[in-house]
Amino acid sequence: MTKSRRTLDSQDVLDIKKAEIENLPLDLFVMKDDGEKGQFFYLGPMSPIAYQEKSMIDNKGKEIPVVNIIFKLHNAVRPDIYHYLTERSSY
């Protein structure tokens, strides 16, 4: 997950860290790339395993802070669901 205009001290990043410390659930929901009109798919519980603060250039040429968070799913995604979510539609 990448969040722009965030630092490791941003409230939403701190909330994720707090959830990890307090053993609160973090669940992954995704939307298929072809945008099935707001339909989300639940992939299961996950845990953050790494946080990294970087910077990037926004569309106005300004450098902005970015936080990358790497998560690990507790259970593997079923192959049929993975295929469905990653296949390209012919639209």
Side-chain angles (χ1 to χ4, degrees):
M1 176 175 87
T2 301
K3 300 285 275 181
S4 63
R5 292 181 168 75
R6 304 290 196 285
T7 68
L8 292 174
D9 295 321
S10 296
Q11 189 60 53
D12 54 349
V13 176
L14 293 173
D15 288 343
I16 292 170
K17 289 181 176 183
K18 182 179 177 183
E20 177 184 19
I21 292 166
E22 295 182 3
N23 204 26
L24 299 173
L26 292 171
D27 296 301
L28 179 61
F29 292 83
V30 298
M31 187 184 327
K32 188 171 177 175
D33 190 35
D34 66 6
E36 293 193 13
K37 306 296 183 243
Q39 184 176 359
F40 286 87
F41 299 88
Y42 176 69
L43 297 184
M46 63 182 184
S47 297
I49 58 172
Y51 299 84
Q52 186 177 30
E53 187 171 318
K54 295 180 164 188
S55 63
M56 64 181 266
I57 305 299
D58 70 8
N59 58 0
K60 295 179 182 173
K62 182 180 174 190
E63 186 174 34
I64 58 171
V66 175
V67 172
N68 291 329
I69 304 173
I70 298 173
F71 292 93
K72 180 176 179 167
L73 283 168
H74 294 190
N75 304 299
V77 176
R78 285 186 359 219
D80 60 322
I81 294 173
Y82 177 81
H83 177 71
Y84 173 73
L85 291 171
T86 59
E87 73 181 347
R88 288 272 187 215
S89 295
S90 56
Y91 55 92

